[in-house]
Amino acid sequence: QVQLEESGGGLVQPGGSLRLACVASGSIVSINDVSWYRQVPGKQRELVAGIGSGDRTNYADSVKGRFTISRDVAKNTVYLQMTSLKPEDTAVYYCNAHVVVITNGLPRQFSYWGQGTQVTVSS
């Protein structure tokens, strides 16, 4: 089994910064695309940023220029550096990873989610 654990959330003032981390553990062959999503109560979960093969990245328009996604392959960790935070960035942030594991002797890719970490931007 594979577990994803997010960390780094908290309370920050507008204009501040936070760095979220998503650590994958378990019987992992490889990790392909990893994305950060966020969700506020009553709204759909939205894609914030993603990183794929060759470290190709994509961002929601609302965070471009403020957030940076990166990864440390050796540590099975993906980071989301968030700067110039705004109150509208307040949400629970979730990590999603497409991970290759061995199932019945064959490599297969599955999608996994973490439990989320709360980010609150408020003065």
Side-chain angles (χ1 to χ4, degrees):
Q1 280 291 353
V2 172
Q3 296 81 39
L4 299 183
E5 183 172 359
E6 302 99 335
S7 62
L11 173 64
V12 64
Q13 291 186 341
S17 300
L18 283 174
R19 188 177 79 157
L20 306 183
C22 172
V23 181
S25 61
S27 301
I28 297 168
V29 174
S30 62
I31 301 174
N32 295 328
D33 295 356
V34 180
S35 300
W36 285 96
Y37 288 76
R38 65 187 181 188
Q39 188 170 26
V40 297
K43 291 190 177 181
Q44 284 192 332
R45 195 170 293 188
E46 65 170 354
L47 177 66
V48 176
I51 187 165
S53 59
D55 285 347
R56 170 180 43 86
T57 59
N58 61 283
Y59 298 92
D61 287 343
S62 59
V63 307
K64 280 181 181 176
R66 300 189 298 122
F67 291 11
T68 303
I69 189 170
S70 63
R71 68 168 144 197
D72 186 329
V73 175
K75 295 182 179 180
N76 285 342
T77 301
V78 170
Y79 302 98
L80 184 67
Q81 179 68 50
M82 306 185 295
T83 63
S84 301
L85 283 161
K86 305 175 181 179
E88 51 263 43
D89 294 318
T90 296
V92 178
Y93 284 70
Y94 297 91
C95 175
N96 173 255
H98 293 98
V99 181
V100 177
V101 299
I102 299 298
T103 302
N104 295 327
L106 296 174
R108 291 187 61 190
Q109 179 175 278
F110 294 91
S111 177
Y112 296 91
W113 288 90
Q115 293 299 306
T117 184
Q118 175 71 47
V119 171
T120 302
V121 184
S122 175
S123 55

